[in-house]
Amino acid sequence: MAGLEDVPSMDLMNELLRRMKCSTKPDKRLILIGPPGSGKGTQSPIIKDEYCLCHLATGDMLRAAVAAKTPLGLKAKEVMDKGELVSDDLVVGIIDEALKKPSCQKGFILDGFPRTVTQAQKLDEMLEKRGVKVDKVLNFAIDDAILEDRITGRWIHPSSGRTYHTKFAPPKAPGVDDFTGEPLIQRKDDTAAVLKSRLEAFHKQTEPVIDYYTKKSIVANLHAEKPPKDVTVEVQKVLSS
Ligand code: AP5
């Protein structure tokens, strides 16, 4: 609570209005699953704002640990640079901890987790202990051939996580964030060569996760090759039904 008097009134007012709006929204526990570049990170902030959920992206969390050179980050770096998956225990621990955040009270969006059947089983155990379960799995279905263009053209504003694309979502001025004017960066694993390993990992280790949830009848298949706005409309239809 310290220092609330230093927070501008307009910010406090906006936060109050946001919380009032959130109190009318239904709780939702969602998983976004799809290959690299399928649009999970693009759609997540929209869903997060609409339903007042927390957005837990294991890739972002791991990159933050790498940047901070924590013991976890040092372990993960080499594996991530090669486009392989880091160990199940490591990411399960991260998610278990993150789910305790107050911002996850109304539910969550898991983006990039679970990525193996073991992770899915561990998630079920975690949620069972909390007396809740996953409501919906959004499957960002898309042909591999489309993804190289999306991945190699992606530019990111590191501090906000805002994503741009040279062709599909260009910033107003090349190489700089629209809102802060700060420089954009490219991810180290966003190359055509590393994408090959990432796709291999997806088909071999993550596709079985889609089957895992299909058996529970909670998967909604999206046409992720459509333009971003059309994908948003599909997502909204699924979530409001
Ligand atoms: P992670 O960060 O999760 O990467 P990813 O799954 O490969 O997903 P991306 O972030 O690349 O794609 P996205 O679907 O979010 O695409 P975006 O919306 O940005 O993981 C990175 C690494 O961390 C892994 O390789 C692994 O090593 C490790 N890791 C993470 N989680 C793990 C786990 N659970 N277990 C083990 N290891 C783990 O879109 C891409 C681009 O396309 C953008 O430029 C965007 O503007 C554009 N775009 C988006 N949608 C559209 C559209 N509809 N039309 C046209 N362009 C579009």
Side-chain angles (χ1 to χ4, degrees):
M1 272 306 135
L4 257 193
E5 63 272 18
D6 293 330
V7 179
S9 305
M10 195 50 99
D11 291 355
L12 280 175
M13 204 61 164
N14 285 338
E15 178 57 16
L16 194 65
L17 288 172
R18 191 190 68 81
R19 289 192 183 201
M20 277 165 66
K21 188 195 93 176
C22 287
S23 66
T24 64
K25 300 280 175 173
D27 293 7
K28 285 208 187 284
R29 295 172 188 88
L30 309 173
I31 291 174
L32 272 48
I33 203 163
S38 55
K40 307 178 297 289
T42 301
Q43 298 299 327
S44 288
I46 304 168
I47 308 171
K48 175 189 159 177
D49 288 348
E50 176 66 28
Y51 288 97
C52 307
L53 308 174
C54 65
H55 173 212
L56 305 179
T58 36
D60 291 348
M61 293 167 172
L62 289 167
R63 277 186 291 279
V66 170
K69 296 194 168 72
T70 64
L72 186 152
L74 294 174
K75 259 195 215 165
K77 185 179 183 316
E78 208 180 310
V79 182
M80 291 174 76
D81 285 350
K82 283 193 281 185
E84 294 166 8
L85 297 188
V86 306
S87 80
D88 288 335
D89 284 346
L90 212 148
V91 281
V92 167
I94 297 183
I95 289 292
D96 200 12
E97 203 45 47
L99 285 175
K100 295 174 188 156
K101 293 199 294 189
S103 56
C104 297
Q105 208 183 343
K106 288 202 65 65
F108 52 72
I109 302 166
L110 297 180
D111 165 359
F113 180 92
R115 250 176 159 99
T116 64
V117 171
T118 305
Q119 290 178 19
Q121 289 163 338
K122 295 252 163 105
L123 175 66
D124 278 351
E125 287 168 22
M126 263 184 250
L127 297 182
E128 208 177 312
K129 277 188 204 145
R130 293 169 162 91
V132 293
K133 55 185 174 43
V134 175
D135 297 311
K136 214 35 131 200
V137 175
L138 302 180
N139 175 25
F140 284 66
I142 189 164
D143 199 291
D144 282 5
I146 301 176
L147 299 172
E148 187 176 322
D149 240 14
R150 286 207 192 166
I151 286 291
T152 53
R154 170 165 61 183
W155 286 83
I156 294 164
H157 177 238
S159 60
S160 70
R162 272 186 286 279
T163 299
Y164 298 88
H165 192 282
T166 43
K167 247 195 259 172
F168 310 124
K172 286 178 189 143
V176 291
D177 178 49
D178 287 353
F179 298 89
T180 61
E182 289 167 355
L184 303 176
I185 57 142
Q186 280 199 294
R187 259 167 59 177
K188 213 173 166 198
D189 59 347
D190 275 353
T191 63
V194 181
L195 175 63
K196 267 195 190 143
S197 324
R198 289 162 68 192
L199 282 173
E200 234 174 81
F202 175 78
H203 291 303
K204 214 161 125 193
Q205 292 166 277
T206 309
E207 267 176 359
V209 179
I210 302 172
D211 300 334
Y212 178 89
Y213 289 116
T214 301
K215 287 188 189 124
K216 295 176 185 278
S217 308
I218 53 171
V219 175
N221 293 308
L222 305 172
H223 297 91
E225 77 288 352
K226 289 186 183 171
K229 284 207 170 88
D230 295 3
V231 179
T232 305
V233 170
E234 281 198 17
V235 169
Q236 278 164 348
K237 265 192 201 149
V238 168
L239 296 185
S240 58
S241 66

